[in-house]
Amino acid sequence: MGTHPTLVQIQPFSVGQRQEGETARPSLAPAPAPANGRTFYLETFGCQMNVHDSEKVAGVLIARGYRPVENYEDADLVLYNTCSIREKAAQKVFSRLGAFRRSGRRPLIGVLGCVAQQEGERFFERAPQVSLVCGSASYAKLPELLDRLEAGERRVTGLSLDTDECFETEITRRDNPFRAYLTIIEGCDKDCAYCVVPMTRGGERSRPSPKVIEECRRLVDAGYTEIQFLGQNVNSYRDPSPARWSFAELLARTAEIPGLKRLRFTTSHPRDFSPDIVQAIESHPVLCDHVHLPVQSGSTRVLERMRRGYSREEYLERIGCIRRSKRAMSISTDMIVGFCGETEEDFEETLSLLDEVQYDQVFSFKYSPRPKTAAGAWADSVPEEEKGRRLAILQERQREIQLRRNQAAVGLEFEVLVEGYQPRLGQAVGRTTSNRLVNFPGEPGWVGQYMTVRVTAAGPNSLVGVRVSGG
Ligand code: 5AD
Ligand code: SF4
C-alpha cells in the first residue's frame, strides 16, 4: 500500500461557482438539496484516499442540505477524517478534540476514517464530546447514521469491516477543479507486518468497470481533463463485472475516452505490477508517464520481515520493465527506515537501491509501531535517534539524485497543466505528466490551462521555466 500524507481542509464553495483566478469549476448534477440551515466543517488528515473520501462525505452532507463552513466555530457538525498510518498522524485528532474541550463549544462532533476504525467505541471514553465514530468501510451507512444523529441519538457508530460495498454518492464535492480523484478499489488484502490499513479499511473491494467508465465519462463531460484512479493497491483491481477487465485494460479503455487529457493512478503494489501496465502506458499518451511503486526497503531480509511478498531482485525486475519501455517514465517510491531489526547493512542496501533505481521522488518515513499489526508486537529495536540519523542520510542522498535528474531537464520543453498561481511572486505552477512541478512567470487566468514550458533552472524538488506556447 502507499499514500501520501497531507492535511487538507475542505473549503466551502457554492457548487459551480467561479472563484477568482480559476477557470470554471466543474460540477456534477444533481444539485444539492434545499438548505436545512445546518452547517458542517470537515477536516481531513492522511492520504489521497482520505481526501477523496472526504469529498464524498461532503457530497452526502450537501445532498442533505448542509452547508460547508471554513471555520469550525461556525459549524453545527464538525467532522475529522483521520489517519493512523503513523503514531504522529493518529495523535492529531486528539489534539483537535482537546482544543474543543478548552473552547467550551458544543457542536456535534464526528470522527471518521482510520483512527475511528481503530479506536472504535473506545473513542467515546477518550473523548466524551464525540457523537459519531465511523470507519471508511461503513461510509455507505452515513445517511442512516446522520438520520439517527439528527433525531437526537447521542452516540452512533459505523464500525463493521465486513462489507463488500464501495462508497457511492450522488454528489461528490471535489476540491480540485481540474483533477478528479476516483476510487476504483477500496481496502487492502495484503499483509504487510507494519501496516494498519487492512485493519482500518477492510478487505479489497473493486468497483465494476462499467461504473468506473461511466463516471469517468461524466467527469469529462463536466469539464475535468485529468482523472486520478485511487486505491491502496490500485493495480490489485479485480473487475467484478462480467467484462472482467484487467487493471491494464481499465487504464487503456479509460484513456480512450474522448476529451480526457491525463489519466494517473496511485498507488501500485510491486507484487501486482505486471508488464501489461507498462504496455498500456506506452501505447496511450493520455496515461501519465509516472509510476509510484513503493519499495519500503532495499534489503531482501527486511522485505521478508515486512512480508512485502517480493525480494530486492524481484522489485528491480519490475523497475527494469518500466525502464525498458520506449516511453521514458518517472518513478517514485515510499521507504521506511528503522523497521524492527534493520541493521546498518540493511540500511546500506536501501541507500544502494536509491543509487541503482534513480528515483524521481521518494517519500521516506521513520518506522512507527502500530497497534494490532504483526510488527506492533515485535521489539522496536532501532532507537529513535538512529531512525532520525538514517532518515536524514537517506533524504540527503535522494536530494542529490533528484537535483541531478532535474538538472538534466534544463533546456527541455514539457507540457504542463497549470494548477496554481502565486500572486506574490507572479508565478504560475504547472505539473508535467511525469509529475514534476514547474514554476514560471504567469497570470492568474492561466490556472486550468495546458501550456508548453521550457525549463531554465532546476532544484531538487521543482523546476523553473518560461512559457513557450499554449493558453
Ligand atoms: N511506520 C512508518 N511508515 C509507515 N508506512 C506505512 N505504515 C508505516 C508505519 N507503521 C509508510 C509506507 C507506506 C506509506 C504510505 O506510509 O511507506 O507506503
Ligand atoms: Fe490513508 Fe488510513 Fe493509511 Fe492513513 S492509515 S494513509 S488515512 S489509509
Side-chain angles (χ1 to χ4, degrees):
M1 65 131 296
T3 38
H4 303 136
T6 48
L7 197 161
V8 182
Q9 189 179 309
I10 303 288
Q11 299 292 342
F13 79 104
S14 315
V15 176
Q17 178 185 302
R18 223 173 243 251
Q19 297 194 347
E20 213 189 334
E22 266 183 10
T23 53
R25 185 190 280 271
S27 69
L28 291 179
N36 65 5
R38 295 199 175 110
T39 53
F40 75 96
Y41 170 88
L42 170 52
E43 193 175 344
T44 307
F45 306 93
C47 60
Q48 284 143 322
M49 297 280 294
N50 261 19
V51 171
H52 183 45
D53 282 344
S54 284
E55 293 178 338
K56 293 197 270 188
V57 170
V60 168
L61 290 165
I62 289 166
R64 294 176 79 82
Y66 281 79
R67 187 170 57 81
V69 290
E70 214 167 322
N71 199 325
Y72 71 86
E73 289 171 340
D74 301 328
D76 302 311
L77 173 65
V78 174
L79 294 172
Y80 296 110
N81 191 359
T82 59
C83 172
S84 60
I85 197 93
R86 283 168 290 274
E87 176 67 24
K88 247 194 196 158
Q91 283 311 329
K92 281 188 185 146
V93 64
F94 292 106
S95 68
R96 289 290 192 279
L97 293 171
F100 255 109
R101 244 196 324 271
R102 291 188 293 278
S103 80
R105 280 203 72 244
R106 296 279 172 269
L108 277 178
I109 301 179
V111 181
L112 310 175
C114 297
V115 183
Q117 187 67 51
Q118 271 221 310
E119 291 290 316
E121 306 254 347
R122 271 180 315 198
F123 229 113
F124 297 131
E125 287 154 38
R126 259 185 105 168
Q129 70 272 48
V130 169
S131 302
L132 165 72
V133 176
C134 183
S136 68
S138 302
Y139 286 163
K141 302 210 167 55
L142 263 181
E144 176 201 320
L145 299 177
L146 288 165
D147 282 345
R148 287 167 48 196
L149 270 188
E150 287 164 9
E153 241 182 273
R154 177 69 188 84
R155 282 177 173 173
V156 297
T157 56
L159 294 169
S160 169
L161 282 176
D162 181 23
T163 178
D164 51 8
E165 275 179 310
C166 291
F167 180 32
E168 310 277 354
T169 53
E170 263 188 90
I171 300 180
T172 298
R173 219 290 255 123
R174 288 190 157 83
D175 285 332
N176 187 314
F178 318 110
R179 179 192 315 139
Y181 288 143
L182 200 139
T183 301
I184 62 162
I185 169 168
E186 295 185 3
C188 177
D189 280 350
K190 306 286 188 288
D191 183 32
C192 301
Y194 53 80
C195 189
V196 83
V197 171
M199 268 75 70
T200 60
R201 287 189 168 267
E204 283 173 3
R205 288 103 57 199
S206 295
R207 297 180 66 205
S209 58
K211 271 202 168 174
V212 174
I213 293 284
E214 183 200 306
E215 185 158 354
C216 289
R217 288 218 175 91
R218 282 199 292 135
L219 288 166
V220 172
D221 287 348
Y224 289 95
T225 55
E226 180 171 323
I227 292 176
Q228 181 160 357
F229 284 166
L230 296 180
Q232 292 302 330
N233 298 306
V234 74
N235 58 326
S236 308
Y237 177 81
R238 279 203 181 178
D239 185 3
S241 83
R244 293 273 178 267
W245 284 353
S246 66
F247 174 63
E249 253 175 303
L250 180 66
L251 287 178
R253 302 284 184 109
T254 308
E256 284 157 14
I257 294 175
L260 183 62
K261 282 188 69 104
R262 289 182 172 186
L263 177 60
R264 299 182 187 277
F265 55 95
T266 200
T267 290
S268 296
H269 195 291
R271 226 161 76 183
D272 297 328
F273 197 83
S274 45
D276 56 353
I277 300 173
V278 176
Q279 281 154 16
I281 299 175
E282 209 171 73
S283 42
H284 292 83
V286 165
L287 273 164
C288 290
D289 45 356
H290 169 227
V291 177
H292 184 63
L293 202 63
V295 66
Q296 312 302 358
S297 168
S299 153
T300 295
R301 206 184 68 92
V302 174
L303 289 171
E304 249 167 43
R305 288 169 59 76
M306 286 179 164
R307 302 185 189 157
R308 288 289 289 173
Y310 54 84
S311 63
R312 174 191 175 105
E313 287 65 35
E314 284 162 343
Y315 179 84
L316 283 170
E317 272 170 31
R318 311 286 196 276
I319 296 290
C321 173
I322 299 170
R323 291 278 185 241
R324 283 192 297 276
S325 163
K326 287 199 281 292
R327 186 169 173 202
M329 291 185 214
S330 72
I331 306 177
S332 56
T333 201
D334 293 347
M335 285 182 164
I336 297 176
V337 298
F339 184 63
C340 314
E342 184 188 77
T343 62
E344 187 63 34
E345 267 177 314
D346 292 321
F347 175 61
E348 286 294 329
E349 290 199 42
T350 293
L351 293 180
S352 79
L353 190 80
L354 288 186
D355 294 339
E356 199 164 341
V357 176
Q358 297 282 303
Y359 290 106
D360 294 278
Q361 202 173 10
V362 174
F363 300 87
S364 49
F365 313 98
K366 291 192 275 186
Y367 170 62
S368 164
R370 305 308 296 125
K372 296 190 202 155
T373 57
W378 305 342
D380 182 18
S381 58
V382 180
E384 196 53 30
E385 206 188 349
E386 177 59 16
K387 285 180 190 168
R389 188 188 72 89
R390 291 182 190 176
L391 189 69
I393 294 173
L394 184 151
Q395 289 181 342
E396 180 49 31
R397 182 80 70 98
Q398 180 56 25
R399 206 185 78 88
E400 289 164 14
I401 293 173
Q402 277 174 216
L403 186 59
R404 258 201 320 276
R405 288 183 75 76
N406 283 346
Q407 277 171 347
V410 173
L412 302 181
E413 291 184 3
F414 295 96
E415 187 187 53
V416 295
L417 166 59
V418 184
E419 294 188 352
Y421 177 76
Q422 298 170 295
R424 223 168 24 88
L425 305 170
Q427 295 271 314
V429 188
R431 193 181 296 271
T432 66
T433 56
S434 61
N435 210 32
R436 283 161 147 164
L437 291 177
V438 189
N439 297 290
F440 57 105
E443 293 167 18
W446 290 2
V447 175
Q449 297 184 27
Y450 287 83
M451 299 184 164
T452 302
V453 294
R454 183 168 43 251
V455 177
T456 53
N461 296 313
S462 61
L463 305 169
V464 177
V466 288
R467 184 178 75 135
V468 177
S469 60

